[in-house]
Structure formats: structure tokens, C-alpha cells
Amino acid sequence: MQIVDSTPLARAPFRHRHLLQISDLNRLEALDLLARAEAYIPFTKGRVKKLDTLKGRTLVNLFFENSTRTQSSFELAGKRMGADVVNMSVKSSSVAKGETLLDTAATLNAMHPDLLVVRHGSSGAAQLLARKVECSVINAGDGQHEHPTQALLDALTMKSAFGHVDGLTVAICGDVLHSRVARSNVTLLTMLGARVRLIGPPTLMPSDVDRWGADVFHDMREGLRDVDVAMMLRLQLERMAGGFVPSPREYFWFYGLDADKLALAAPGVKIMHPGPMNRGVEIDSEIADDPQLSLIQTQVEMGVALRMAVLEALSAHGSNIGVLE
Amino acid sequence: MRETLALTAFINVRLIDPATGYDGPGEVLIGGGEVLAAGPNALAGGFDADTVVIDGDGHALMPGLVDLRVSCGEPGSEHRETIKTVGRAAVAGGVTTIVMQPDTNPVIDDAALVDFVLRRGRDRSLARMVPAGALTKGLDGQTMAEIGLMAEAGAALFSNGSRAISDSRVMRRLLSYATGFDALVSVRPEDPWLSKGGCMNEGELAARLGVPSIPAAAEHIYAQRDLALAELTGGRLLLDMISSAGTLPSLARAKEKGLDVSASVSIHNLTLNETDVGDYRTFAKLSPPLRSEEDRIALIDAVRSGLVDIIVSGHDPRPAEEKRLPFDEASFGASALEILLPAALTLWHEGSIELIDLVRAMTQKPADLLDMGMGRLTPGAPADLILVDLGYPFIFDADTMRSKCKNSPYDGRRMQGRVLETWVGGAKVFDVETGFLH
């Protein structure tokens, strides 16, 4: 299948070697990635899902935290682009035996991968790795810092549903404090011209969050008024036991998305969630499963196309032997 | 409909309205449970023939007192006090709204218990009764309680009783979480380790008596911590019953910064000092402890200037078996609803404070902290009124108290001022001649 670049932007080579955080990108680069991804969407729905763009390249998925959807999304994206994909998860690696992150980096580097997708529980881990290896590094989530491909696929999902991101009002609801998804999304969506609102209890908001350029609401009903998109964040169960929030039932009462609260949103409102969901805690099943409302499956679908585009863009920097093709 | 309302007019009274600052001759018209008119010439237009007219005989008519710090034994310790007896003690003392502490058994840490107290209060208490919700589950100082659900159920404020929240991060999150509901967080500033085992103010007297003591620094440290956390979180903080002059400068600084902080003082700490402990009088064993005379004077000055916002009774009834014990084994606490007003009036009689400022600290200001409309004689406000004989002299006999427990450090004291009538929601509930009316 022939991939046709749909915009002139997409033809310009991608400037960056790594994709570590949204704030490294400018608006045109973000739009470029989205345009490249859009071109892959029909392909991911086709019968033959294999290209040879990355033939001969090696993609390593290095996951220090458990992940099902992100890891398999990158794996599929790599395989569809023709790369050889190796999955390394913490349980089967020597990290469990006490190896430091930099030791792992040096070991991996000696194997000459071309693309390294990393997820780690510490903020800044992807940056640290990027300085120590010679291949492209893609941050698949570092601590509470960023998850850039999630934000990009969220924007792509909105674009596919609304035709544009510019001018949308997007509410990001829940545990903003611990969310790398929220941080990446606020930066990207604001850059793309959306108005972003953050909704959650004060204990789950970072201090000085009002300086992020988003409007902050502690009253969910007020915050959802006239929004086009309600993006729910996952609240980890251990944070609902009286540390940050008194109980799951109080959380659901005030911050869980149900039909009643959603009725205040704009007509045609869409629901998003980066997954995995806590049904009955942050979102009512009735809503999560409503195909008229929910873009949650679309997010997963867009994830593969977006990651193919990211791999393609970064691979322009060549392979790990340092020779530009 | 207005025409069918039973109207009551109070004439020939000394009107004290903290909301307008008026203290002078006047009249008040009430009906439908509300104040309809109040002022020097409120009845100038005359009134209907069927209006009930009460001639106040020149006595003071003021809003009923609002007491933010009352312990009750119900549920769980009904031998100390029940909702019925605490309501009777309150209205006999001129207190028409009480905020009940959550340190009952079970602890009021759940919306269903908030609802229980509200219902039971409506059914059995002559005074209005609103519960304070617990800040932490079971007052454990660790696990955040369901503040939002309790606020929706009608909790007036949130408190951890007299138990400290020693984990500063927990305190930070509580203050922060409460801002989402604009909830008032009331905390007793007292370092639990410094005060552990202490029975009275640390100083020369305690040393001579050989009684384990509580240094004022225990209060300074926690007050400063909580004020700093209020600044960090933007939370609404009430420092509950401060007792030491040394706490005042940090409170003043916090207020100058514009923080939403306030402080209360117990009537005991305004009118008694550590020497009232005398020779081990357990009725004067209180928490916070009675401090030095310098502390007492500084606290009166702080009420006068408004730095300390409100005066509370700190009502904490304790049965004799908890008090007739060696000093260090006896419980803290005193039954105080019925002496709040006469004890406060001694401050006015001795010229320490203006009457209007004194009344404001027990009516309008506490009502404002709760964001409730009582505590004033403004038209539309609830008709919670007390008629007070400001000068009536008497010797206080604790045995005459309506509270179930008669423990009071004021027993045998000469005092001035008593409540003649108490009206709640437009209905008379107490008359000094005939007793309770419901």
C-alpha cells in the first residue's frame, strides 16, 4: 500500500531524534505527527497490515512498569512498520536482580537497537536513558511527568471525531496530581488551540496548577458545563483509602462521571479515558459503554496509527550505527 | 401568609444587634419564625390588635448565642449528657445554636450519623443543633473522613475533637480537600507529645503542686504549623480554643496576610487562670489548661480587637466519678453552657470589653463562620432571641445546672446577668420563671 503524505508539512523531515515530552515539540511538529498518523488510519483497517518502512530496524520495548495496551500498541506499530520488535519487561530483565537503569542502558546500547520505547516509574528516566544510548528514545510514560504518545493519540482521536482540535473545550477530570497523561495533554491541547479545564479534588491537583494555562474546577458540575470532551483519568485504588480522597463512594459521588453530571456538557459531548477504567469509581459503566458517547475504543485504535507515525518520523534519524540512509 | 402569622412584638427593651452595632432602646417584631423588624422605631407604624406584646421592662434583647464548641454524650455516653439535656442547658444559658463535637461513640464520621444528630436534635433539643463532622475516620488522625458527603448532609464544620492530627501531611491534605467544599476545618492546636500526661499549665504553680504540666509551646508549635498549612492550601482554618498569649502573634501575621483563618477562645480561659486550680481542684482541670493571668489579659485584648474571633463554652460535661479523683487521674472538662453568658458578662461589668463586642463574638461572628443567618436581628434572620437581665446578681450554684453533669469551676462564684427568656425560631422555649416550655 502506498502511503501518501496528505500535507506539505509531513514531507519535512522530523527535527527530533527522541520523543521525550510534548513540550519539546512546537505546534507545527505536533500537527505534522498527527497528519502522518492520519495517513496510517486507513492502513490499520486494511486487510494486509504490513509495511517495510522500518525493515531491518530493531525496536526494543523496555517496560519497567506493567502495561498491556501501551506495550502491545507499540509492538503492533513496530511490526506493522516492518521492524523487529523485542519486548523486555522488568520481571524478566536483570533490573530485578539489582542492575541500575544506566547499566541496563549500556547493555541495551551494545545490542544496537534503533528505537527504544521506555516506560519507567521515575520522572525523568526517559531523559536519562536518552543521554546514554545512541538510538532514538520514545517515552512511553515516565513517573508523573509525561506520556507524549498518549496525548498525541488523544488529540488524533478528537480530530477524528470532531474534525479539529482547535476551539474544543476539553475537561480532564480526576487525579491530575499523579497523571503524566494530564501533563502531556494540557501542553499539547493548549498548543493545538483547545481550551483545557482540569477537574478534581484539591488534594489531587498539583500546587500552582492554575499556572498551567488551564482552568481549574473543584466542582465537577461547574467544570463540565458546555465541554466538548470529558477525559477521565484513572484513580488508583490505594489513593482512595483516606490519603487523598476519603473513599471510593465519596469520590464517585463528587467526581465520578455519570449521566446526570454529563447532561451539563455540550450537545455531542464525547468521553475519553486512557484506560484501564475503574468502573463505578471514576466512570459509570452506562456511559463508558455508550457508543454514542464513548471514544475509548477509538483511542486504542488511533494509538497504533499514531505510534506508527512516531516510529516513522524518528526513524528518519537513521539507525544505531550512525549512518544516515 | 403574612396575615395569618402570629406576630410577637418586644417593646421597651435595650436592643443589642451586633450586625448593625446598635446598642440602645428599641423594639423587635417577629413572626413566622423570623425577625420582621428591629430597631429604635421598628414598631413606629403600630401593630395589629392580635399581636402578642412582650414588655421587656428595659432588659436587654439580643440574638441567641451561637456556641461552636459543645460536647454531648449522645450517642454512646448518655450518662454524661443527652441531646435533650444539652439542649435544655443551652437555652437556659441563652445559647440557641450549638455545634456538637464529633467525639461521640460512634464518632460522627459518616453522613448517616450527621443525619442522625440533625434529626435527633430537631426532635429532642430545644436549641438548634448541628454536628461537626470528624476530620478523620474514628478520629484516628490518619484516614480522611467523608468530608464532602458529610458537608452535603449538613455538618456545620469539621473537627478532630481534642485529638491532634500529628501527621502534617495528613493535615495538609485535610485542609486542601476541605477547600473543595468550602468547609471550615477546626483544629485544637496542641502538640500531643509535648502535652502528653500534662494536667495543667506549665509554670511555677504546677512545679510547686508537683503536677505534670503542659507548656504553652505545645500550642504555639501546632498553631504555627496549621497556619502555615492554611497558607499552603488556602484552607479555611479555625484554631479551636487557644489559650496562650504566645499564639497571638502568629495568628495576627496570618490574618495580615489575608488568610482565611480564625480563632476561638473558651470562656474559661477568658475568666479564670491557673491559680483557680488552687489546691488540686479537679473542676478547674481543663483542656486547654487555664494559663497565667498575663495570658488571660492578652486573650481578652485579642477578643476586643477582633484578633480572636469567637468565644465558645467548651462545654464538656463530666460525671462526678470522673472528677472526684486525684488531680492527674481526673478527666479534663467542665459543664459550661449555663455559665457562658454570665461569665462573659463579668468581663463587661469589670470594664474589660464593650458589650456589643462581647455579644458579637458569641452571636454574629460564630454564625458567620458557619455561613448561617442567625446571630443578628436583621429582618429575615431566624427569630432566635434572648431577653437578658444584664445586672442580676447571684451566687452561682452548680447544683442548679440543667446539664446532666454539674462540674463547674465557677461553683460558688458571685456573678451578674441571667437569661430571662429564650426564643428559638420565633417560639419561646425557656422562661426563667416558668422553666422550659416544650
Side-chain angles (χ1 to χ4, degrees):
Chain A
M1 179 170 173
Q2 182 72 36
I3 298 302
V4 183
D5 290 338
S6 55
T7 67
L9 284 170
R11 286 187 211 105
F14 195 66
R15 186 166 63 98
H16 301 279
R17 180 186 175 91
H18 309 293
L19 180 60
L20 301 176
Q21 53 190 12
I22 293 293
S23 45
D24 289 342
L25 304 179
N26 62 35
R27 180 180 156 85
L28 291 179
E29 288 162 346
L31 287 170
D32 171 29
L33 285 175
L34 294 182
R36 289 175 195 247
E38 275 179 320
Y40 284 116
I41 295 170
F43 169 76
T44 60
K45 295 176 182 171
R47 219 158 75 83
V48 179
K49 303 187 186 67
K50 191 97 175 167
L51 295 170
D52 55 8
T53 318
L54 296 184
K55 189 172 180 186
R57 305 291 185 91
T58 307
L59 166 70
V60 173
N61 270 330
L62 181 60
F63 278 63
F64 294 90
E65 281 185 349
N66 287 334
S67 158
T68 308
R69 69 182 70 203
T70 305
Q71 184 173 331
S72 47
S73 182
F74 270 109
E75 184 177 353
L76 272 179
K79 286 179 171 166
R80 287 177 182 177
M81 295 296 278
D84 297 313
V85 181
V86 178
N87 287 321
M88 295 181 67
S89 69
V90 65
K91 286 195 182 75
S92 58
S93 82
S94 46
V95 174
K97 299 171 191 159
E99 191 176 80
T100 68
L101 180 62
L102 289 183
D103 291 338
T104 309
T107 308
L108 278 172
N109 197 47
M111 298 174 190
H112 302 290
D114 303 287
L115 293 148
L116 184 60
V117 176
V118 64
R119 168 170 290 190
H120 196 280
S122 301
S123 303
Q127 255 96 343
L128 182 62
L129 264 183
R131 285 198 290 271
K132 300 292 174 187
V133 296
E134 291 161 62
C135 61
S136 291
V137 174
I138 301 167
N139 181 5
D142 61 328
Q144 299 168 12
H145 174 227
E146 282 231 30
H147 190 355
T149 57
Q150 178 72 41
L152 287 162
L153 76 86
D154 287 341
L156 185 63
T157 305
M158 289 179 214
K159 207 165 173 228
S160 75
F162 293 91
H164 59 96
V165 176
D166 192 28
L168 292 178
T169 303
V170 181
I172 301 176
C173 318
D175 184 1
V176 176
L177 177 64
H178 300 100
S179 175
R180 51 196 176 211
V181 175
R183 280 169 180 74
S184 291
N185 259 308
V186 170
T187 312
L188 181 64
L189 292 171
T190 309
M191 187 195 290
L192 296 178
R195 281 185 302 274
V196 181
R197 298 180 185 175
L198 297 171
I199 304 174
T203 40
L204 293 176
M205 290 284 174
S207 44
D208 294 322
V209 68
D210 46 332
R211 296 187 196 165
W212 282 13
D215 296 318
V216 179
F217 294 84
H218 301 310
D219 180 339
M220 191 171 190
R221 291 171 190 278
E222 212 181 301
L224 284 179
R225 201 170 290 282
D226 301 323
V227 299
D228 300 299
V229 176
M231 183 188 293
M232 305 309 296
L233 301 173
R234 175 179 170 76
L235 179 57
Q236 294 192 5
L237 292 165
E238 67 268 20
R239 298 197 175 118
M240 277 179 280
F244 293 89
V245 169
S247 64
R249 70 173 179 182
E250 173 150 329
Y251 187 78
F252 185 73
W253 182 257
F254 292 105
Y255 297 104
L257 187 65
D258 56 20
D260 190 39
K261 297 190 189 92
L262 197 61
L264 297 161
V269 63
K270 297 292 183 190
I271 310 302
M272 295 172 68
H273 194 301
M277 285 182 278
N278 288 316
R279 292 168 183 267
V281 174
E282 70 242 357
I283 192 162
D284 194 336
S285 280
E286 192 190 357
I287 285 175
D289 299 334
D290 184 341
Q292 299 296 311
L293 291 172
S294 173
L295 292 176
I296 296 170
Q297 298 311 315
T298 316
Q299 286 175 277
V300 179
E301 189 182 335
M302 294 298 150
V304 179
L306 184 277
R307 283 166 181 136
M308 289 171 74
V310 167
L311 296 178
E312 178 218 309
L314 293 180
S315 69
H317 281 277
S319 64
N320 198 4
I321 52 171
V323 181
L324 274 173
E325 291 170 346
Chain B
M1 298 208 306
R2 269 288 142 85
E3 293 77 21
T4 62
L5 288 181
L7 300 182
T8 305
F10 295 86
I11 60 165
N12 190 21
V13 292
R14 174 178 175 180
L15 209 58
I16 302 169
D17 183 7
T20 58
Y22 182 76
D23 177 359
E27 294 141 359
V28 175
L29 184 67
I30 64 171
E34 292 181 358
V35 175
L36 299 177
N41 296 302
L43 302 176
F47 42 81
D48 300 343
D50 54 355
T51 300
V52 178
V53 178
I54 292 169
D55 186 334
D57 200 20
H59 291 306
L61 188 73
M62 60 179 89
L65 309 186
V66 178
D67 187 351
L68 261 47
R69 229 295 177 175
V70 173
S71 287
C72 176
E74 186 176 351
S77 305
E78 285 81 357
H79 64 291
R80 283 176 54 207
E81 195 85 287
T82 65
I83 285 173
K84 181 176 178 180
T85 58
V86 81
R88 285 180 167 240
V91 297
V95 177
T96 52
T97 301
I98 55 186
V99 174
M100 190 179 124
Q101 286 293 301
D103 51 356
T104 46
N105 182 15
V107 169
I108 301 168
D109 60 5
D110 181 289
L113 286 158
V114 169
D115 192 56
F116 165 81
V117 173
L118 286 170
R119 282 162 187 269
R120 194 56 80 100
R122 271 196 298 274
D123 293 346
R124 303 203 176 175
S125 167
L126 293 177
R128 294 180 197 272
M129 193 145 192
V130 268
L135 279 169
T136 57
K137 278 272 174 196
L139 304 177
D140 72 357
Q142 287 292 330
T143 321
M144 191 186 292
E146 291 173 328
I147 290 172
L149 294 174
M150 285 192 281
E152 281 205 345
L157 53 84
F158 293 88
S159 147
N160 218 47
S162 289
R163 302 232 206 132
I165 294 166
S166 54
D167 185 329
S168 305
R169 192 168 69 164
V170 171
M171 189 64 212
R172 176 203 180 153
R173 288 191 186 143
L174 286 167
L175 276 166
S176 170
Y177 190 74
T179 62
F181 305 97
D182 201 27
L184 180 64
V185 174
S186 166
V187 287
R188 273 289 311 282
E190 189 174 86
D191 185 314
W193 303 106
L194 269 179
S195 59
K196 195 173 184 185
C199 297
M200 66 178 290
N201 183 42
E202 182 157 319
E204 191 248 336
L205 186 60
R208 251 188 315 117
L209 291 174
V211 168
S213 55
I214 303 168
E219 180 174 298
H220 307 160
I221 291 167
Y222 266 47
Q224 286 179 17
R225 180 198 74 165
D226 294 338
L227 291 166
L229 292 176
E231 181 171 14
L232 178 63
T233 59
R236 289 183 67 205
L237 175 70
L238 169 64
L239 291 179
D240 181 27
M241 299 204 291
I242 64 171
S243 65
S244 159
T247 302
L248 298 171
S250 34
L251 176 63
R253 274 197 302 278
K255 286 193 166 188
E256 277 160 25
K257 284 183 193 164
L259 308 187
D260 196 350
V261 297
S262 49
S264 69
V265 61
S266 142
I267 189 62
H268 301 109
N269 291 94
L270 285 180
T271 53
L272 304 172
N273 66 29
E274 59 185 341
T275 60
D276 287 285
V277 170
D279 47 357
Y280 308 98
R281 290 185 67 217
T282 58
F283 281 12
K285 181 176 175 181
L286 302 169
S287 176
L290 297 172
R291 300 261 183 213
S292 70
E293 180 63 5
E294 291 73 32
D295 289 311
R296 189 184 78 90
I297 300 296
L299 289 168
I300 295 171
D301 289 346
V303 172
R304 192 193 307 121
S305 70
L307 176 57
V308 167
D309 305 80
I310 63 171
I311 303 170
V312 297
S313 72
H315 182 76
D316 192 1
R318 295 287 163 179
E321 64 268 24
E322 290 185 30
K323 281 293 189 181
R324 301 204 190 287
L325 290 169
F327 197 81
D328 63 342
E329 292 175 19
S331 294
F332 291 99
S335 184
L337 276 165
E338 291 159 83
I339 57 85
L340 172 61
L341 183 62
L345 286 173
T346 60
L347 298 174
W348 170 60
H349 286 302
E350 73 192 23
S352 296
I353 189 168
E354 295 290 328
L355 184 58
I356 191 84
D357 295 330
L358 191 64
V359 170
R360 188 179 285 122
M362 296 187 287
T363 55
Q364 184 202 356
K365 281 186 160 187
D368 284 350
L369 281 180
L370 302 183
D371 213 10
M372 291 175 126
M374 58 273 291
R376 68 209 72 207
L377 300 177
T378 315
D384 298 355
L385 305 171
I386 53 175
L387 188 64
V388 182
D389 181 347
L390 295 171
Y392 178 82
F394 65 102
I395 295 173
F396 181 64
D397 177 2
D399 285 337
T400 64
M401 288 203 293
R402 282 79 170 181
S403 172
K404 261 195 159 178
C405 296
K406 321 289 185 192
N407 55 311
S408 172
Y410 296 91
D411 192 24
R413 282 210 169 212
R414 287 166 199 284
M415 298 179 126
Q416 266 183 287
R418 67 166 176 175
V419 175
L420 299 175
E421 293 181 18
T422 303
W423 295 64
V424 175
K428 185 153 80 167
V429 295
F430 174 75
D431 186 308
V432 75
E433 301 298 336
T434 56
F436 300 106
L437 283 109
H438 284 277

